[in-house]
């Protein structure tokens, strides 16, 4: 026993040494991705960007750790807060001592944070941005490890479709706050509004509180449309979520509402050329995957790919009497009553085909039966049409074998006849002279009735 105990540790150590290299190399090393959002978790746009990023990265590998940081600048605007949150993120990152393969930043404030502070924090870590308004290449001057997806909102297409769907409209109410995002949107929007100056009269609605919305919106005239842009901070510096904003406008608006972002869609806007936060996140995730695969940032230029699509809500179109026939050909229409049929059209088509096949089979059976009966009747008539020998006295008929049989038996053997027996008037008089008049009178009355 003692000898066995002395040998076992040696064998165990050798076994572990042989196994250890294989176990180490068989495990994939976890790769870390940092996502820095300008805004807060729970904001529809931010959550959809995260979903788009996560769907790409998790599909690519199970060994990716995604770290999220939220600067929360929608609810906390202002330069003083931005400097404080920047210092906090810097200290937090230095304490964590994490190494990242790539950093994704969403929206303008997160990109600004990386430009001003991130260079010292993360050195040469590749940075991918998305959701940045009013982007220009000069913003990345001297930053070779930066690339991303510019958020190209197609305001012009939304205004054009508003014009086409409402040829009698004369005014457009532009809802826009004064946050950095609102100012960036306004800078992009101004030259486009000039192109529609002969079509619409534009009115800005920028400084109001939540309590002012109902009074302002309810008084709008029929010749006015609402273009809901971005409004997350009211005149009292109170944060308004996208869902609260569209709810208040939808509840009080007597005119159609249009927008350019998907966080309003399905909640009360008629439609527009819609920008998707999810697609922005998807494209940023695709870039991160390419970096993980070894592609240098220098070979990934900034993408200006259009992530927009015409989208309309049938419920809102129907509410204001807008015909779907006037929508752009490539538009996505939701909540249409016919959508159930088109989504399941193959089931309807298969059912219809099955009914047609069954009907054809039943018709074929019916026509075959009719043809068989017709041929049988024709054969019976041909049989009756032959020269038949009959006794001139007793009326028996001679068959092919030479036997004499009653006419009933002869016909029953050749055609499908069934006889009922009775007496003709002549035979009644001959056989029953005493009651013949009474019987014949009764038969005459029954025949007339």
């Amino acid at each position: 026993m003692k000898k066995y105990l002395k040998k076992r540790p040696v064998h165990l150590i050798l076994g572990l040494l042989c196994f250890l290299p294989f176990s180490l190399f068989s495990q994939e090393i976890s790769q870390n991705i940092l996502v820095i959002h300008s805004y807060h978790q729970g904001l529809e746009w931010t959550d959809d960007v995260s979903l788009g990023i996560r769907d790409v990265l998790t599909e690519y590998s199970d060994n990716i750790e995604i770290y999220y940081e939220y600067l929360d600048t929608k609810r906390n605007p202002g330069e003083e807060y931005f400097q404080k949150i920047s210092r906090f993120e810097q200290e937090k990152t230095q304490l964590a001592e994490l190494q990242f393969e790539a950093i994704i930043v969403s929206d303008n404030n997160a990109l600004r944070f990386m430009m001003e502070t991130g260079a010292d924090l993360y050195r040469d870590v590749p940075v991918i941005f998305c959701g940045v308004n009013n982007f220009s290449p000069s913003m990345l001057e001297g930053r070779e490890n930066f690339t991303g997806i510019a958020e190209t909102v197609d305001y012009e297409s939304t205004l054009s479709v508003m014009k086409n769907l409402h040829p009698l409209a004369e005014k457009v109410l532009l809802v826009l706050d004064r946050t950095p995002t609102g100012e960036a949107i306004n800078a992009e929007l101004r030259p486009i509004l000039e192109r529609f100056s002969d079509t619409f009269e534009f009115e800005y609605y920028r400084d109001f509180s939540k309590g002012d919305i109902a009074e302002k919106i309810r008084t709008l005239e029929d010749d006015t449309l609402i273009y809901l842009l971005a409004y997350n901070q009211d005149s009292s510096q109170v944060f308004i979520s996208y869902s609260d904003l569209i709810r208040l406008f939808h509840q009080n608006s007597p005119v159609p509402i249009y927008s350019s972002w998907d966080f309003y869609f399905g909640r009360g806007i008629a439609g527009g050329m819609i920008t998707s936060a999810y697609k922005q996140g998807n494209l940023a995730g695709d870039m991160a995957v390419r970096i993980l695969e070894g592609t240098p940032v220098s070979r990934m230029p900034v993408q200006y790919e259009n992530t927009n699509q015409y989208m309309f809500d049938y419920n809102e179109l129907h509410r204001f009497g807008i015909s779907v026939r006037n929508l752009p050909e490539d538009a996505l229409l939701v909540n249409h009553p016919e959508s159930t049929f088109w989504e399941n059209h193959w089931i309807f088509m298969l059912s219809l085909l099955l009914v047609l096949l069954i009907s054809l089979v039943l018709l074929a059976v019916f026509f075959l039966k009719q043809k068989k009966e017709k041929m049988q009747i024709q054969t019976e008539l041909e049989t009756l049409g032959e020269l038949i020998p009959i006794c001139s006295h007793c009326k028996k008929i001679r068959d092919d074998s030479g036997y004499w049989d009653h006419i009933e038996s002869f016909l029953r053997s050749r055609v499908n006849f069934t006889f009922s027996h009775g007496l003709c008037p002549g035979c009644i008089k001959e056989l029953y002279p005493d009651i013949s008049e009474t019987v014949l009178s009764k038969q005459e009355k029954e025949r007339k009735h």
Side-chain angles (χ1 to χ4, degrees):
M1 180 64 70
K2 289 181 179 180
K3 188 176 181 181
Y4 175 78
L5 289 175
K6 287 180 181 178
K7 280 192 173 184
R8 181 167 181 173
V10 177
H11 289 207
L12 183 60
I13 292 170
L14 289 174
L16 288 173
L17 289 174
C18 292
F19 177 77
L20 186 59
F22 294 97
S23 64
L24 287 176
F25 288 111
S26 64
Q27 294 180 353
E28 293 185 30
I29 300 174
S30 179
Q31 295 173 299
N32 298 329
I33 301 291
L34 175 62
V35 177
I36 304 177
H37 286 294
S38 297
Y39 313 132
H40 57 278
Q41 188 176 16
L43 189 69
E44 294 86 346
W45 173 270
T46 297
D47 290 348
D48 287 346
V49 170
S50 290
L51 182 60
I53 294 170
R54 187 165 58 250
D55 283 353
V56 173
L57 295 181
T58 53
E59 184 178 351
Y60 172 72
S61 175
D62 294 332
N63 292 297
I64 293 179
E65 288 286 342
I66 306 176
Y67 294 82
Y68 296 93
E69 293 292 335
Y70 298 89
L71 301 184
D72 200 9
T73 57
K74 277 287 187 193
R75 296 184 294 196
N76 300 281
E79 187 63 27
E80 183 179 354
Y81 171 80
F82 185 83
Q83 296 303 326
K84 287 181 179 179
I85 193 66
S86 296
R87 289 194 295 271
F88 170 75
E89 290 293 340
Q90 185 174 7
E91 293 174 1
K92 181 179 178 181
T93 301
Q94 290 171 343
L95 289 173
E97 296 183 349
L98 290 170
Q99 299 295 320
F100 297 105
E101 276 66 46
I103 298 173
I104 300 175
V105 295
S106 72
D107 297 282
N108 293 61
N109 286 334
L111 179 60
R112 178 190 169 191
F113 167 78
M114 283 302 303
M115 289 179 173
E116 295 181 0
T117 308
D120 296 330
L121 288 176
Y122 305 105
R123 301 296 177 182
D124 297 326
V125 178
V127 177
I128 304 161
F129 66 84
C130 66
V132 173
N133 301 106
N134 207 17
F135 173 81
S136 66
S138 61
M139 296 169 64
L140 301 183
E141 188 174 347
R143 295 177 174 87
E144 297 180 355
N145 62 322
F146 279 68
T147 188
I149 303 96
E151 182 186 332
T152 54
V153 181
D154 195 347
Y155 307 103
E156 184 171 0
S157 292
T158 298
L159 288 169
S160 294
V161 82
M162 291 167 67
K163 174 185 175 182
N164 294 335
L165 296 179
H166 305 276
L168 300 180
E170 298 179 359
K171 301 177 183 178
V172 174
L173 184 67
L174 303 170
V175 183
L176 187 64
D177 64 17
R178 297 189 182 277
T179 62
T181 299
E183 296 299 343
I185 291 173
N186 194 35
E188 294 178 328
L189 191 60
R190 275 199 302 268
I192 297 171
L193 298 182
E194 293 178 2
R195 302 173 200 168
F196 289 85
S197 59
D198 295 334
T199 304
F200 294 124
E201 176 186 339
F202 294 101
E203 177 188 351
Y204 276 98
Y205 192 33
R206 305 196 69 180
D207 302 296
F208 61 89
S209 65
K210 292 175 67 173
D212 299 332
I213 294 176
E215 182 179 357
K216 172 70 175 180
I217 300 305
R218 287 175 182 174
T219 59
L220 293 178
E221 298 179 356
D222 294 341
D223 64 349
T224 303
L225 302 172
I226 296 175
Y227 193 1
L228 191 59
L229 297 161
Y231 203 93
N232 289 121
Q233 186 182 26
D234 71 2
S235 57
S236 303
Q237 294 189 333
V238 174
F239 173 77
I240 306 177
S241 68
Y242 295 123
S243 56
D244 284 344
L245 184 69
I246 183 58
R247 177 177 54 81
L248 289 170
F249 271 80
H250 183 251
Q251 287 176 350
N252 296 283
S253 177
V255 299
I257 306 170
Y258 290 84
S259 187
S260 295
W261 288 276
D262 59 356
F263 43 71
Y264 294 130
F265 190 73
R267 298 182 175 184
I269 66 169
M273 178 63 83
I274 303 299
T275 300
S276 170
Y278 179 84
K279 289 183 179 179
Q280 287 275 318
N282 250 199
L283 292 173
D286 287 335
M287 281 190 161
V289 167
R290 293 175 62 188
I291 288 172
L292 295 178
E293 291 176 341
T295 303
V297 175
S298 59
R299 292 175 56 189
M300 291 191 296
V302 174
Q303 295 184 26
Y304 295 86
E305 184 176 345
N306 192 339
T307 59
N308 309 326
Q309 182 180 9
Y310 274 124
M311 299 172 66
F312 296 91
D313 188 335
Y314 176 82
N315 291 336
E316 294 304 308
L317 299 180
H318 181 70
R319 176 188 174 193
F320 293 103
I322 304 169
S323 175
V324 297
R325 296 179 180 178
N326 297 328
L327 299 180
E329 292 184 0
D330 57 345
L332 174 65
L333 181 64
V334 301
N335 295 326
H336 195 282
E338 295 179 1
S339 62
T340 302
F341 171 78
W342 291 114
E343 290 171 2
N344 303 285
H345 68 279
W346 64 273
I347 297 178
F348 289 97
M349 297 302 294
L350 185 62
S351 301
L352 180 61
L353 181 60
L354 185 61
V355 170
L356 288 174
L357 288 174
I358 293 174
S359 300
L360 289 173
V361 171
L362 292 176
L363 283 173
V365 171
F366 173 77
F367 283 120
L368 287 174
K369 184 178 180 181
Q370 289 288 96
K371 185 176 181 181
K372 183 178 179 181
E373 290 179 354
K374 184 177 180 181
M375 291 177 64
Q376 183 178 356
I377 292 173
Q378 185 176 357
T379 302
E380 292 169 354
L381 291 175
E382 289 176 354
T383 301
L384 290 175
E386 296 175 355
L387 185 63
I388 302 174
I390 185 171
C391 176
S392 59
H393 177 68
C394 68
K395 308 304 180 184
K396 288 185 177 180
I397 295 175
R398 187 183 65 194
D399 61 17
D400 297 336
S401 302
Y403 292 100
W404 292 88
D405 202 352
H406 291 288
I407 189 171
E408 301 98 311
S409 300
F410 176 82
L411 291 175
R412 191 181 296 114
S413 65
R414 284 162 173 76
V415 293
N416 190 21
F417 288 164
T418 301
F419 293 88
S420 63
H421 293 82
L423 293 174
C424 67
C427 292
I428 290 176
K429 290 179 180 180
E430 181 181 349
L431 297 175
Y432 304 102
D434 297 337
I435 62 171
S436 61
E437 293 298 329
T438 304
V439 172
L440 291 174
S441 177
K442 183 178 180 181
Q443 287 183 349
E444 182 66 19
K445 289 180 180 180
E446 290 177 351
R447 185 182 64 81
K448 289 181 178 180
H449 288 292

